[in-house]
Amino acid sequence: MTKKKFATIMVMAVLAFALAACGSSGNGNGGDADKNAAGENNSGDKSGESSGKQLIVATDNSFVPFEFLNKDTGEIQGFDIDLIRAVAKEANLNIKIKPMDFKGVLAGLKSGRWDMGIAGITITEERDQSIDFSDPYYDAGIILAVQANNSEIKSVDDLAGKTVATRTGTTSQYYLEDNVPKAKIKTYPKITQAYQSLATGRVDAVLYDLPNVKYYIKTKGDGKLKTVGDRLTAEQYGIAFQEDSKLVDKVNEALAAIKENGTYKEIYEKWFGKMPESK
């Protein structure tokens, strides 16, 4: 090959490369970043909201059986997760579920970071001042748990001088502070830590949401724990929103629809067994 022919071939190669570069995204990712952004926008158009955005639903990551991470799959699951997906489908909302610590759910709703929150959130007057709630979707309450061989503690009346564990920032903590001032309150970021402390004798009792307590005792308690006393307080869970959210009416309509068509009953019985007639 002559030098002239070689030089001609090199010039053509450089020109071809330059043309190809002009056709790329120019961001070094082969256009993937633009493609991903477009994909997110397209999926958001299906939300049914005028803004067309994808709605972020914040949830707890360790409130069994309402929401928790499946260690085998790495996916979030539970009663609340099935419920919010059914509501979103009925209301034609495009949602993305974001697991986090419980305190982050409420803080993010107050600051406008999340669109919705579902995490066994008890509807209270205090919370209702800074966030909005859907109609109630679950009747709950709190109950006391002790070691299975404990015969000294029979109710909250026996907690004076005892160390009682619960989860930080929950209605159980507030109940203890308001109603059992002589107890030594120990809070944990995760309720499973409280149960483990009870099982090993580091605390005397745990006070927390009744369905979670009973589910833990049944599935992870290994016969070491039991509930005592009556259910305390009449609490109801609601789906939470930013204050003055336009989503509330749409979600309430969808919630009523899935209760009417039997979807709610199917989800309830999947996680809790036969649904009481009053529900």
Side-chain angles (χ1 to χ4, degrees), residues 114-145:
W114 322 129
D115 299 289
M116 291 187 279
I118 187 166
I121 305 172
T122 301
I123 302 171
T124 67
E125 289 184 9
E126 181 181 358
R127 288 172 177 168
D128 199 37
Q129 292 175 4
S130 56
I131 58 178
D132 285 346
F133 283 100
S134 70
D135 295 331
Y137 68 84
Y138 189 90
D139 295 328
I142 55 178
I143 199 165
L144 196 63

Side-chain angles (χ1 to χ4, degrees), residues 9-279:
I9 292 172
M10 289 300 293
V11 170
M12 293 177 65
V14 170
L15 287 171
F17 178 81
L19 288 170
C22 290
S24 72
S25 67
N27 58 17
N29 294 324
D32 287 345
D34 292 336
K35 186 185 297 182
N36 290 338
E40 288 182 4
N41 289 336
N42 288 338
S43 64
D45 289 340
K46 300 176 182 177
S47 70
E49 283 295 290
S50 58
S51 63
K53 71 172 183 176
Q54 187 179 57
L55 303 172
I56 303 300
V57 180
T59 189
D60 194 354
N61 55 18
S62 61
F63 185 42
V64 179
F66 289 87
E67 45 270 323
F68 58 99
L69 289 173
N70 185 313
K71 293 182 179 179
D72 295 328
T73 65
E75 298 292 326
I76 191 80
Q77 64 181 53
F79 173 80
D80 279 352
I81 305 306
D82 288 349
L83 180 71
I84 197 63
R85 286 175 174 156
V87 166
K89 181 179 180 181
E90 180 67 31
N92 191 29
L93 299 175
N94 177 35
I95 64 170
K96 179 180 180 181
I97 296 172
K98 187 174 181 64
M100 64 191 67
D101 181 78
F102 181 76
K103 289 194 297 183
V105 177
L106 298 180
L109 287 168
K110 292 176 183 178
S111 66
R113 191 173 184 183
W114 322 129
D115 299 289
M116 291 187 279
I118 187 166
I121 305 172
T122 301
I123 302 171
T124 67
E125 289 184 9
E126 181 181 358
R127 288 172 177 168
D128 199 37
Q129 292 175 4
S130 56
I131 58 178
D132 285 346
F133 283 100
S134 70
D135 295 331
Y137 68 84
Y138 189 90
D139 295 328
I142 55 178
I143 199 165
L144 196 63
V146 298
Q147 289 188 340
N149 60 0
N150 187 316
S151 58
E152 183 180 358
I153 299 175
K154 297 182 175 63
S155 72
V156 291
D157 296 331
D158 303 316
L159 294 179
K162 304 296 183 182
T163 301
V164 188
T166 189
R167 192 174 187 183
T168 306
T170 60
T171 52
S172 298
Q173 177 184 345
Y174 306 144
Y175 181 91
L176 287 169
E177 292 171 349
D178 293 340
N179 299 281
V180 197
K182 293 184 179 181
K184 301 174 184 177
I185 305 170
K186 186 172 181 61
T187 63
Y188 294 88
K190 296 184 182 297
I191 190 58
T192 50
Q193 296 171 313
Y195 295 140
Q196 290 161 4
S197 291
L198 177 59
T200 55
R202 294 196 294 271
V203 300
D204 300 301
V206 168
L207 185 73
Y208 201 53
D209 293 42
L210 183 149
N212 183 263
V213 172
K214 289 197 169 184
Y215 190 89
Y216 185 89
I217 290 174
K218 177 182 177 182
T219 60
K220 301 288 182 64
D222 295 326
K224 297 179 181 179
L225 308 178
K226 67 179 180 180
T227 59
V228 292
D230 298 325
R231 183 182 77 166
L232 304 169
T233 75
E235 299 181 349
Q236 293 180 309
Y237 295 162
I239 301 168
F241 307 83
Q242 297 175 21
E243 195 170 19
D244 299 323
S245 172
K246 295 179 180 179
L247 290 166
V248 177
D249 289 342
K250 181 173 286 192
V251 167
N252 279 339
E253 290 173 5
L255 190 57
I258 65 170
K259 286 184 176 181
E260 181 68 24
N261 65 26
T263 301
Y264 179 92
K265 183 174 185 289
E266 290 177 7
I267 296 170
Y268 183 98
E269 295 187 345
K270 171 184 174 181
W271 292 102
F272 302 110
K274 184 174 176 58
M275 190 171 79
E277 293 298 326
S278 59
K279 282 199 175 290

